[in-house]
Amino acid sequence: MTTATVHRVFNFSAGPAVLPLEVLESAQRDLVALPGVGMSVLEISHRSKPFEEICFGAEEDFKRLAGIPAGYQVLFLQGGATLQFSMVPMNLLPPDGTADYLDTGVWSEKAIKEAQKVGAVHVAASSKATNHDRIPGQGEVRFSERPAYVHMTSNNTIFGTQYHFVPEVPAGVPLVNDASSDVFCRPVDFSKFALTYAGAQKNLSIAGLTVVVIREDLLERAPAGLPVYLKYATHAKERSLYNTPPVFGIYVLRLVLRHLIAGGGLAAVEARNRRKAEKVYAAIDGSGGFYRGHARPDSRSWMNITFRLPSEELEKRFVAEATAQELSGLKGHRSVGGIRASIYNAFPEAGVDALVSFMAEFQRRAG
Ligand SMILES: *Cc1c(COP(=O)(O)O)cnc(C)c1O
């Protein structure tokens, strides 16, 4: 097999997003027949030994890489982060309870809407008034009297903001985090979160897999009448094999986890991500106001970098000319406009360097 002839551009897609080339190449090499198995991972029973090895291996590697404490389970589910917007309140919000939400963007607001269908929701802090350009500080948060849980979104993919601290919540209240777009961007103390969920297609694997890390004491909170598939306890009891799981997503996750472990773990990932993000923010800050970042400096995301140019006309030109230079996927989301550079874990540093040079060159010509 040769990959030398395959040409890849720099892919700034917000999601599904770039995967490590090495992972794609392994998946390609072993797609037709897993070594020692003689059949594709797509063709074997999820109850077979080879698949159990992949699935439980992914679970163990995930726990090891992330340092998941005892008393937590890692679940491989389907339905995306979007199904978690519903499953979280269905499992954790009792009929007479209130759930507190930290509103930091479009995804938080979608989560709030779904929770409101299940019970009472209190928005404990919001950045909406300034078009979600920042993460509300701890001092602005007003919790309800006894929240059933507190929900946050650690990285706001659309607005380009990110929590760089773990919010403090009242003693004993479970903290739930939508980490879809920044999971594993650096080491995290999972013991601070009772439940973490992430759609896999940004930093972990491919679309179709959702990872949930749940503290075991939450498993039994679901009301008895909840459909079996929507209960976390169902999946925990069967180690994600209650029914046919998203086998290819789990397989690719395993490859990504091994790639991260071999590369020095999450501390190494953090150093690289910090350096990558700093380069782009330095280019914005050093442009004399030609490029204007959307996020306030203390809330800037390492994963999604959002910025504007002096006019929409120039933004259109920027995207078109960048695309012609093989910098793909830089058009911003309509809620912010302008440019969004998504530079997840697997986005190569060479692509960041190419973007930074392009930004300087574009400004020279247009500024
Ligand atoms: C992409 C994203 C989602 C939506 O994920 P799906 O897997 O498409 O449901 C939710 N939350 C955040 C923070 C995201 O980045």
Side-chain angles (χ1 to χ4, degrees):
M1 188 207 61
T2 161
T3 50
T5 53
V6 174
H7 183 69
R8 282 166 64 81
V9 302
F10 289 122
N11 174 8
F12 292 90
S13 170
V18 60
L19 284 160
L21 179 58
E22 195 185 299
V23 165
L24 292 173
E25 287 175 346
S26 303
Q28 181 187 45
R29 194 181 55 238
D30 295 344
L31 185 67
V32 173
L34 285 170
V37 179
M39 294 174 277
S40 173
V41 67
L42 303 175
E43 302 172 305
I44 56 175
S45 168
H46 59 291
R47 311 232 176 257
S48 64
K49 270 268 160 297
F51 187 74
E52 278 193 352
E53 198 270 324
I54 289 167
C55 188
F56 300 156
E59 185 194 317
E60 276 151 28
D61 284 348
F62 190 101
K63 286 182 168 169
R64 188 153 63 94
L65 177 68
I68 305 290
Y72 282 76
Q73 296 216 17
V74 176
L75 309 178
F76 301 141
L77 308 182
Q78 307 190 49
T82 300
L83 183 58
Q84 295 309 306
F85 297 164
S86 303
M87 267 178 81
V88 165
M90 285 171 138
N91 281 267
L92 304 182
L93 180 52
D96 56 347
T98 298
D100 285 14
Y101 278 69
L102 301 169
D103 168 22
T104 52
V106 167
W107 296 116
S108 312
E109 281 158 12
K110 289 193 170 171
I112 289 168
K113 269 212 181 101
E114 294 311 301
Q116 282 168 336
K117 295 174 185 170
V118 177
V121 169
H122 166 75
V123 176
S126 175
S127 50
K128 198 183 178 80
T130 52
N131 198 25
H132 301 299
D133 65 347
R134 65 198 187 86
I135 296 299
Q138 185 72 40
E140 300 171 48
V141 182
R142 298 286 174 270
F143 292 115
S144 65
E145 207 166 306
R146 207 175 302 114
Y149 61 87
V150 174
H151 180 284
M152 62 177 280
T153 313
S154 51
N155 184 72
N156 299 281
T157 325
I158 290 172
F159 296 94
T161 63
Q162 185 177 21
Y163 274 90
H164 296 294
F165 61 95
V166 179
E168 277 172 41
V169 296
V173 173
L175 180 58
V176 175
N177 184 25
D178 175 358
S180 294
S181 54
D182 71 345
V183 61
F184 286 0
C185 81
R186 59 189 164 203
V188 172
D189 181 358
F190 276 86
S191 73
K192 296 220 163 102
F193 302 92
L195 192 158
T196 302
Y197 63 88
Q201 66 273 22
K202 286 149 192 164
N203 249 354
L204 293 178
S205 177
I206 60 167
L209 169 68
T210 311
V211 179
V212 170
V213 181
I214 185 168
R215 210 173 60 206
E216 281 162 359
D217 63 283
L218 299 189
L219 293 171
E220 296 314 322
R221 290 202 185 187
L226 194 62
V228 63
Y229 198 74
L230 298 177
K231 280 186 192 168
Y232 292 117
T234 302
H235 303 283
K237 197 164 143 257
E238 303 294 335
R239 271 184 102 177
S240 303
L241 297 175
Y242 173 72
N243 70 328
T244 316
V247 294
F248 196 60
I250 294 170
Y251 168 76
V252 173
L253 172 65
R254 176 122 210 255
L255 297 178
V256 170
L257 293 169
R258 287 182 155 186
H259 172 80
L260 293 176
I261 291 168
L266 296 185
V269 174
E270 172 174 37
R272 197 170 53 246
N273 282 335
R274 182 192 297 277
R275 205 166 55 231
K276 280 156 55 184
E278 276 173 359
K279 283 181 179 178
V280 183
Y281 287 119
I284 292 170
D285 293 341
S287 73
F290 184 77
Y291 299 112
R292 283 169 297 115
H294 176 72
R296 271 189 6 185
D298 63 355
S299 304
R300 285 171 161 178
S301 168
W302 290 6
M303 299 279 100
N304 313 96
I305 298 178
T306 50
F307 57 94
R308 304 297 310 254
L309 272 70
S311 70
E312 286 187 17
E313 174 67 40
L314 280 172
E315 287 167 347
K316 274 203 189 112
R317 251 181 71 195
F318 182 96
V319 171
E321 291 181 20
T323 307
Q325 296 194 25
E326 306 199 325
L327 305 170
S328 164
L330 285 165
K331 188 176 185 311
H333 188 278
R334 61 188 178 283
S335 323
V336 182
I339 310 300
R340 171 173 54 174
S342 296
I343 51 169
Y344 297 115
N345 284 358
F347 188 87
E349 194 159 351
V352 167
D353 295 337
L355 173 64
V356 165
S357 335
F358 174 76
M359 286 169 72
E361 181 223 325
F362 185 85
Q363 183 179 359
R364 257 194 315 276
R365 279 190 284 114

